[in-house]
Amino acid sequence: MRDIDIAEVAQLSGVRASTLRFYEEKGLIASHGRRGLRRLFDPAVLDRLALIALGRASGFSLDEIARMFAPDGRPRIDRKLLAAKADELDRTIRRLNAMRDGLRHAAVCPAPSHMECPTFRRLLRVAAAGKIGEKKKVKKSRRKSGS
């Protein structure tokens, strides 16, 4: 397949040319020539941009994404880093679900004032403690030994 210029890459990938130039400055992508004033890219840049988009959508920083590529440009993805990001997303999902549930309750709560609602008051205490969405600790049952 022939080289594609920056305008075509932008059109095919949905990434603005200014962002492509920024990615090139950061070392995430590389052009390998010019046609007039336009940078030229290997068509494989589209796959690389898709990986960058996936990383960004997953919450990785550009620096983290840059480390996911070997010097030759091939993906070199740390599985432990992926697992850690998945755990982080789980925490975010729990927090957002708790916030959503609290807002839904507040929207339909029959109490005359939200401050009179026990559920809303509990949500306030949890929020003030910075613990919205944390996993609830399971209480261990105590066994009585017959010794």
Side-chain angles (χ1 to χ4, degrees):
M1 191 172 187
R2 65 176 175 75
D3 290 340
I4 50 180
D5 71 32
I6 194 167
E8 290 175 281
V9 173
Q11 181 183 15
L12 293 169
S13 68
V15 177
R16 295 185 328 209
S18 60
T19 302
L20 295 171
R21 287 188 292 274
F22 177 71
Y23 285 175
E24 189 171 19
E25 283 177 32
K26 296 276 293 175
L28 291 165
I29 61 173
S31 62
H32 62 268
R34 291 187 182 266
R35 181 181 306 137
L37 295 176
R38 292 186 176 191
R39 290 170 168 89
L40 293 175
F41 294 90
D42 184 279
V45 75
L46 297 172
D47 287 337
R48 193 170 177 110
L49 289 168
L51 284 169
I52 293 167
L54 179 60
R56 295 294 289 157
S58 300
F60 287 102
S61 70
L62 289 178
D63 290 334
E64 290 171 320
I65 293 168
R67 290 190 297 272
M68 291 183 188
F69 293 102
D72 67 359
R74 288 189 173 155
R76 178 184 61 194
I77 301 170
D78 180 345
R79 293 174 191 271
K80 288 181 183 178
L81 183 61
L82 294 180
K85 184 56 75 174
D87 291 343
E88 181 183 322
L89 289 172
D90 282 340
R91 289 188 297 275
T92 300
I93 290 167
R94 279 194 303 275
R95 183 177 52 80
L96 290 172
N97 280 336
M99 289 169 51
R100 179 206 56 214
D101 294 348
L103 291 171
R104 289 201 191 283
H105 175 79
V108 299
C109 180
S113 161
H114 287 102
M115 299 309 282
E116 296 175 44
C117 172
T119 301
F120 189 75
R121 298 289 300 187
R122 182 177 43 78
L123 182 63
L124 286 178
R125 285 191 305 276
V126 172
K131 297 184 177 184
I132 287 183
E134 287 188 1
K135 283 186 177 179
K136 292 181 182 177
K137 293 182 180 176
V138 178
K139 294 181 182 179
K140 294 181 181 178
S141 62
R142 294 186 177 183
R143 287 193 214 166
K144 293 187 179 182
S145 60
S147 28

